Amino acid sequence: MKSRTKVVVIGGGIAGCSTLYHLTQEGWSDVVLVERNELTSGTTWHSAAQVTNFGMNQTMVGLKTHSINLYKELAEDPDYPINYHHGDGGIRLANTEAQMQGYRHFTSMARGMEVGFEVIDAEECARRHPLISTDNLIGGLWDPLDGDIDPAQLCQALARRARKSGAEVYRNTPVTALTQHKDDTWTVHTEHGDIDCDIVVNACGYRVNEVGAMMGVHHPVASMEHQYFLTEEIPAIKDTGHRMPLLRCPISDYYCRQEKNGLLVGFYEQDCKTWGMDGIDPNFVNALCPDDLDRVTDVLEGAFARMPALMETGIHTVVNGPITYTIDGAPLVGPIPGKRNAFCIIGLRAGLGEGGGHGWLLAQQIVHGEAQYDTWCLDPRRFTGHTNAELTALKAIEDYQNEFRFHFPHEHRPAGRPAKTTPLTPVLAAEGAEFTVVNGWERVDYIKPAPDFHPSLSFNFDEAFEVIAAEVRNVQDNAGLAEVNGFNRFEITGADRHSFLDRMFCGTVTKRAGRVGLGYLLNHHGMIKGEATVANLPASDRGPERVWYGSAAASELHDMDWLSRHIQKDEDVQIRSLTNDQTILVLAGPRARGVLSTCARGDWSAEAFPWLSVRECFIGFASATVMGVSFSGELAYEIHVPNASLYAAYLALRKAGEAHGLKLFGARAVESMRMEKGFLHWKADLITEFDPFETGLDRFVKLEKGDFIGKEALQKRQTEGARKKLVTLRIDASHAPAHGGASLMQDGKVVGTVTSGDWGHRVGMNLAYAFVDPALATEGSTMQLDLCGDLVAATVIAPSPYDPGFDRIRG
């Protein structure tokens, strides 16, 4: 066994084998996989092994497409062919028009990744799958490339190819401990000796937290018992003359596929059960849980009704084994929070179908620092601080019970609520607030007009449309107050703080005391990494001279990782997170200055406190830090208050606002207003797939300044020209917004992809942001938006259709 290697991958299931293989494909051959038993001895060996193209966003569709293409190549390898039923086709059923509308959106989204789905009616579903009944059925989504694969053969084929490229695989080699050294390298201790390495990858399936504990981390992954059975032969299948398509049924919570001349039928019962919460037997290898078909009786009845042939055949084999879920149902693929040179590829509940793509994206991140797609939807750092085992289990149960039910826009499921709150949460609830969830935080979505107000789930504008319009009007005409909790806030101190930040940002970073600036961070490929405000606070009784760095609510671990990684050894820079200590109250509207002047001493005039200023003060008697910044396009102030005095500040503002028409507003109103102003959202419009010039952020780039991260790559990219350009679109539809991922068409070809969409209540327009072909990025260019199956006109307009001169923000 090697004593030194570049990467050690721990775990020999699909996650580990795919990662090992793809590392060799990215050019790293000095890599090792260690497995405590035999390859595929965990969840992989009993997987139902379905391989679909369906995904909830374009990154997921792209990685699944890679899996399908890779598996097809492996199956056709004359030296080591594997069993892969490719292109049997698959149907996701629907019995509501809302589900069908969602399928039409996913078809539009997938088209941008060169994947062809088809929305079909009930009769066509039955024609393609003759065993199903059309009772209580409207239609479904057809995936022509759906299929299934042999799990063990797949992993062996990947390991074989990795070995041929120089990788090594050590079976029956349990890891006993992990040690990280001062230079951030690792020693992997095993029962057969130690391996020193630069990088460790946790690919341990349901044993993920056993290895996580060796690193001192906990991963938000829980296991669920999952049952399927194999039937005896069904004559109708044998007589059909072709393989049956796969079936996934959100109506009755089951799936099935052909297995020889019978069926494999799996269940996602409501009376489901977690597994391994109190530890896992070390001898649980190639093992199963006890059968428990009584638990799936309700689901089985629905399956019988949909497929009467099941009532006429026997059960050949029952399989009940653990599968892993994360706290939001999506895998964790990328850097491990708080650790250097440590990655994970875990929580792959659909591991066989997706694993080829997950390993591909992870290998790119390890070797190149980023993948070719933005991988935030998979990033392990997208959760911050609230993801304990108990909460993860609650969310895993909820996801399991809704396996084939996609999330609708503005749908926030109830399990694990509320995870993060502030002293104002019950106060705002008493005011009638409807809450959304942002990184676990309960944040006001809008104020309900009545306690029993519950908008329907839809891809159209819902019944809250006029409620949000009224909130926007009051912010435009008077003054509004909103709590923005969970917003990321770092305090950066040290003599070298300004030079450090200057190196991190691609543009000018203000160094003036009492001033605020906005800037963008790039990765080493010259692509957008982050967006942040920088506020310079002078020395006071609250602290020394310092910088407050503010960024998106979910970015805390991501940004801390990026910033701390780039502090040089000789730099005097310290970073401390204030994210969970302070909460922002946003005061916005033309009468906001009057409200602030009523409850805070000092001169708040435009001359004394202009836009992009920062000042420490008291709101009533509550200490606060006020910034003159706006995400709404109106005169606005961010009021940062320690949580201990948040309620006191809130009461002072509400009292002061009585004479100025102050009302509460929520996140839905903010979303509408920011669309009108051309303000972008991190990880919606600001992603690692595009550089700042493609994203329309030219004014924030200063190539003439000194060195900054990504400068050389950005200069090279500039000579190559833009691949896409971000534009603002006016959509000729009043019934529904454009949804992220939707395709823009011209002459039957995809020419762009939507990143954000919403109604602009102040300008009376249906607005969208989208990356489009550069030739179409000029004002007046027209194309068609595939809006849930309907082609509607979309026209490029100038950015910031509301108050483009920023006069209202300046007050």
Side-chain angles (χ1 to χ4, degrees):
M1 195 168 72
K2 278 187 173 182
S3 60
R4 185 72 176 81
T5 190
K6 196 166 187 66
V7 182
V8 173
V9 179
I10 307 172
I14 180 59
C17 291
S18 177
T19 302
L20 188 75
Y21 165 72
H22 284 98
L23 283 171
T24 65
Q25 293 299 292
E26 295 299 325
W28 286 12
S29 59
D30 183 15
V31 291
V32 162
L33 183 149
V34 294
E35 160 57 40
R36 71 192 304 275
N37 197 265
E38 295 288 344
L39 298 185
T40 73
S41 59
T43 294
T44 300
W45 81 270
H46 61 75
S47 169
Q50 297 166 138
V51 184
T52 175
N53 242 337
F54 181 80
M56 293 293 291
N57 53 57
Q58 288 193 324
T59 295
M60 294 299 290
V61 172
L63 68 85
K64 291 184 178 187
T65 297
H66 176 83
S67 294
I68 289 172
N69 293 336
L70 172 62
Y71 299 171
K72 191 169 185 293
E73 178 191 339
L74 293 172
E76 295 170 352
D77 185 342
D79 296 329
Y80 194 85
I82 64 175
N83 294 323
Y84 177 27
H85 298 121
H86 172 263
D88 289 349
I91 309 172
R92 292 173 184 268
L93 301 179
N95 67 339
T96 69
E97 182 52 44
Q99 288 172 310
M100 293 293 285
Q101 188 184 34
Y103 289 160
R104 294 185 187 99
H105 166 65
F106 294 125
T107 300
S108 173
M109 178 197 66
R111 185 178 293 118
M113 300 301 288
E114 301 181 350
V115 169
F117 292 153
E118 184 183 356
V119 179
I120 57 179
D121 61 22
E123 288 68 29
E124 184 62 18
C125 289
R127 190 189 71 78
R128 298 187 188 189
H129 200 304
L131 295 184
I132 68 170
S133 162
T134 58
D135 291 347
N136 188 32
L137 184 66
I138 294 180
L141 180 71
W142 172 258
D143 174 2
L145 298 184
D146 219 335
D148 67 89
I149 197 165
D150 184 295
Q153 290 182 359
L154 170 60
C155 291
Q156 293 290 353
L158 291 169
R160 173 179 175 272
R161 286 196 171 192
R163 287 191 188 101
K164 288 181 68 175
S165 297
E168 297 190 16
V169 176
Y170 305 137
R171 298 169 298 131
N172 299 304
T173 306
V175 173
T176 57
L178 295 169
T179 301
Q180 188 163 32
H181 306 290
K182 290 183 178 180
D183 62 355
D184 295 326
T185 62
W186 293 85
T187 296
V188 179
H189 307 277
T190 81
E191 289 188 358
H192 303 310
D194 295 347
I195 309 175
D196 295 325
C197 61
D198 296 327
I199 294 168
V200 169
V201 178
N202 185 341
C204 292
Y206 53 68
R207 295 190 184 273
V208 52
N209 277 310
E210 294 180 9
V211 172
M214 298 178 191
M215 293 186 183
V217 300
H218 171 80
H219 298 285
V221 176
S223 295
M224 303 293 299
E225 287 191 16
H226 177 59
Q227 294 186 93
Y228 64 79
F229 63 62
L230 306 176
T231 73
E232 303 284 0
E233 184 174 292
I234 298 175
I237 292 179
K238 188 175 182 180
D239 297 342
T240 300
H242 63 78
R243 285 186 60 82
M244 286 287 175
L246 288 81
L247 200 69
R248 297 171 181 86
C249 182
I251 307 165
S252 300
D253 298 308
Y254 82 98
Y255 63 90
C256 73
R257 65 167 175 82
Q258 184 170 336
E259 180 71 15
K260 297 183 179 178
N261 285 323
L263 291 173
L264 182 156
V265 186
F267 308 96
Y268 289 96
E269 69 280 6
Q270 297 302 295
D271 184 24
C272 54
K273 185 178 179 182
T274 57
W275 179 86
M277 290 288 291
D278 298 317
I280 302 169
D281 186 338
N283 298 314
F284 191 88
V285 175
N286 281 106
L288 294 171
C289 310
D291 301 347
D292 190 5
L293 288 182
D294 288 344
R295 204 168 69 228
V296 302
T297 300
D298 57 335
V299 183
L300 190 56
E301 290 175 356
F304 284 162
R306 181 65 59 203
M307 300 179 69
L310 286 174
M311 292 186 285
E312 301 170 5
T313 187
I315 296 174
H316 179 272
T317 304
V318 178
V319 173
N320 184 20
I323 58 176
T324 56
Y325 280 73
T326 67
I327 195 166
D328 68 351
L332 303 176
V333 181
I336 294 175
K339 295 293 176 182
R340 299 281 181 88
N341 294 342
F343 295 81
C344 60
I345 176 169
I346 53 179
L348 278 59
R349 73 184 189 199
L352 263 294
E354 304 172 351
H358 288 309
W360 174 57
L361 294 180
L362 181 60
Q364 291 177 38
Q365 292 179 69
I366 292 171
V367 175
H368 307 295
E370 298 282 359
Q372 69 183 68
Y373 303 140
D374 189 289
T375 57
W376 182 244
C377 62
L378 308 172
D379 198 304
R381 298 166 296 185
R382 66 187 186 268
F383 312 110
T384 57
H386 63 290
T387 55
N388 55 49
E390 285 71 16
L391 181 60
T392 301
L394 289 174
K395 297 302 290 184
I397 291 168
E398 184 178 62
D399 275 329
Y400 186 95
Q401 293 170 333
N402 291 277
E403 177 68 28
F404 299 130
R405 299 185 189 94
F406 53 78
H407 277 79
F408 282 91
H410 309 300
E411 178 186 5
H412 303 289
R413 292 174 179 168
R417 305 276 300 275
K420 294 181 182 178
T421 62
T422 74
L424 289 187
T425 305
V427 177
L428 296 169
E431 295 268 13
E434 177 70 21
F435 292 93
T436 182
V437 181
V438 180
N439 187 32
W441 290 95
E442 297 287 330
R443 185 178 294 178
V444 176
D445 214 17
Y446 55 87
I447 303 300
K448 295 185 288 188
D452 59 352
F453 181 74
H454 300 294
S456 54
L457 295 176
S458 171
F459 281 78
N460 293 337
F461 290 118
D462 62 26
E463 295 85 347
F465 186 88
E466 292 300 333
V467 175
I468 296 158
E471 291 183 4
V472 171
R473 279 195 301 271
N474 191 66
V475 172
Q476 183 182 22
D477 296 339
N478 299 304
L481 184 66
E483 181 190 51
V484 182
N485 47 16
F487 187 81
N488 185 44
R489 172 69 62 215
F490 296 152
E491 182 177 271
I492 304 177
T493 54
D496 298 319
R497 63 191 183 281
H498 291 305
S499 59
F500 165 70
L501 289 170
D502 197 49
R503 194 174 72 252
M504 299 302 297
F505 284 83
C506 63
T508 302
V509 181
T510 181
K511 301 177 179 63
R512 287 173 53 196
R515 296 297 290 167
V516 181
L518 176 68
Y520 294 86
L521 301 90
L522 310 183
N523 62 27
H524 294 284
H525 304 283
M527 306 300 208
I528 297 289
K529 185 72 173 177
E531 176 192 60
T533 56
V534 172
N536 296 299
L537 296 175
S540 71
D541 57 356
R542 300 183 192 177
E545 289 184 337
R546 59 207 183 279
V547 170
W548 274 14
Y549 169 108
S551 56
S555 68
E556 181 183 2
L557 298 184
H558 174 280
D559 285 15
M560 181 64 82
D561 176 37
W562 186 251
L563 293 173
S564 59
R565 182 190 306 177
H566 289 96
I567 298 174
Q568 296 174 356
K569 291 182 178 180
D570 59 349
E571 281 186 310
D572 178 17
V573 175
Q574 299 82 41
I575 305 176
R576 180 170 70 100
S577 178
L578 303 177
T579 301
N580 298 302
D581 301 330
Q582 304 226 4
T583 295
I584 299 173
L585 296 174
V586 171
L587 177 64
R591 304 182 72 178
R593 180 176 285 115
V595 176
L596 188 59
S597 298
T598 301
C599 63
R601 287 186 293 112
D603 184 354
W604 296 99
S605 66
E607 295 74 24
F609 193 76
W611 181 43
L612 299 180
S613 296
V614 59
R615 178 190 295 176
E616 293 176 334
C617 68
F618 291 89
I619 303 296
F621 57 80
S623 62
T625 303
V626 178
M627 298 183 194
V629 295
S630 174
F631 203 50
S632 64
E634 305 292 346
L635 173 67
Y637 305 99
E638 279 186 5
I639 304 171
H640 298 249
V641 185
N643 286 334
S645 51
L646 182 63
Y647 185 41
Y650 172 81
L651 290 176
L653 287 163
R654 291 302 301 269
K655 181 67 175 177
E658 290 176 356
H660 298 278
L662 179 73
K663 294 181 181 178
L664 299 174
F665 68 100
R668 297 268 296 266
V670 173
E671 181 68 7
S672 168
M673 292 186 285
R674 73 100 182 172
M675 292 291 302
E676 297 172 304
K677 282 303 300 170
F679 295 154
L680 308 182
H681 256 175
W682 185 68
K683 293 310 178 187
D685 318 301
L686 301 167
I687 58 177
T688 58
E689 295 175 32
F690 299 102
D691 66 39
F693 297 122
E694 293 170 321
T695 313
L697 300 172
D698 308 47
R699 67 192 184 281
F700 292 98
V701 180
K702 302 297 180 187
L703 288 173
E704 65 274 14
K705 67 179 272 190
D707 194 30
F708 59 84
I709 293 172
K711 179 177 180 178
E712 183 178 345
L714 184 60
Q715 289 173 318
K716 181 180 178 182
R717 290 185 58 78
Q718 199 176 20
T719 64
E720 297 169 351
R723 301 156 302 150
K724 296 284 185 182
K725 293 286 285 184
L726 187 71
V727 298
T728 304
L729 296 168
R730 183 184 67 245
I731 308 300
D732 286 356
S734 58
H735 68 286
H739 298 283
S743 290
L744 293 156
M745 312 292 295
Q746 192 176 75
D747 300 326
K749 297 180 180 178
V750 177
V751 295
T753 299
V754 170
T755 58
S756 297
D758 207 345
W759 188 268
H761 290 281
R762 293 173 297 189
V763 298
M765 293 184 196
N766 196 354
L767 300 171
Y769 300 151
F771 282 101
V772 303
D773 292 346
L776 295 171
T778 56
E779 287 182 46
S781 294
T782 60
M783 58 207 83
Q784 291 180 305
L785 167 67
D786 182 348
L787 182 58
C788 297
D790 296 325
L791 292 178
V792 299
T795 305
V796 177
I797 63 173
S800 189
Y802 181 72
D803 185 31
F806 282 57
D807 295 326
R808 294 182 69 88
I809 285 181
R810 292 184 175 90

